[in-house]
Amino acid sequence: NSQEILKLAQNFIDYINKTKPHLAPKSKDLLKNSCQAIDKLIRIDKFSFEYIRAVLLWAVEDSFWEDNIYSLASLRKKDKDDPRTKFQKIANSYERSQKKNTNNRSNANAKECNDFINEVM
């Protein structure tokens, strides 16, 4: 949905302008280019809008990516040394963080279960 893409892009631009005004891109076509990048991530790269949104929400809070993502327009760019796009790199970090969180929860649940069994026995 183009309205959702427009809203996400505008919210991201507003967020960067508010939190990192000295680093925020100032291109006159920033909103258009941001929307095009999200659209291509959906149409060409086959990521869902919900997934893109979740990855971006995570990225602006991540200790590494928060200082390395200022423009949505750059999400499909690649480095000459790496075949992955910037979004793919961010998504990879996002996925690793989700697995880590799941493992931490599993370990906590296992400990609680073990404590409960020991209390009952």
Side-chain angles (χ1 to χ4, degrees), residues 12-27:
F12 184 86
I13 291 167
D14 292 346
Y15 174 81
I16 296 300
N17 281 326
K18 182 180 174 190
T19 60
K20 296 173 177 41
H22 58 292
L23 296 170
K26 304 291 187 225
S27 160

Side-chain angles (χ1 to χ4, degrees), residues 15 55-66:
Y15 174 81
V55 169
L56 292 174
L57 287 171
W58 172 85
V60 297
E61 297 288 322
D62 179 69
S63 60
F64 174 79
W65 285 110
E66 72 175 333

Side-chain angles (χ1 to χ4, degrees), residues 15 18-19 32 41-42 45 53 58 81 84 91 94 103 106-107 118:
Y15 174 81
K18 182 180 174 190
T19 60
K32 180 182 93 166
L41 284 170
I42 295 167
D45 302 335
R53 186 175 179 280
W58 172 85
D81 305 338
R84 297 174 299 165
Y94 168 77
N103 290 342
S106 297
N107 292 340
N118 288 334

Side-chain angles (χ1 to χ4, degrees), residues 1-47:
N1 180 327
S2 58
Q3 285 303 107
E4 286 179 320
I5 292 171
L6 180 63
K7 184 178 176 186
L8 177 61
Q10 187 62 63
N11 287 346
F12 184 86
I13 291 167
D14 292 346
Y15 174 81
I16 296 300
N17 281 326
K18 182 180 174 190
T19 60
K20 296 173 177 41
H22 58 292
L23 296 170
K26 304 291 187 225
S27 160
K28 66 179 178 73
D29 293 326
L30 183 61
L31 181 59
K32 180 182 93 166
N33 294 340
S34 297
C35 289
Q36 287 175 342
I38 296 170
D39 176 63
K40 288 178 181 178
L41 284 170
I42 295 167
R43 280 186 311 103
I44 298 169
D45 302 335
K46 304 298 182 201
F47 291 105

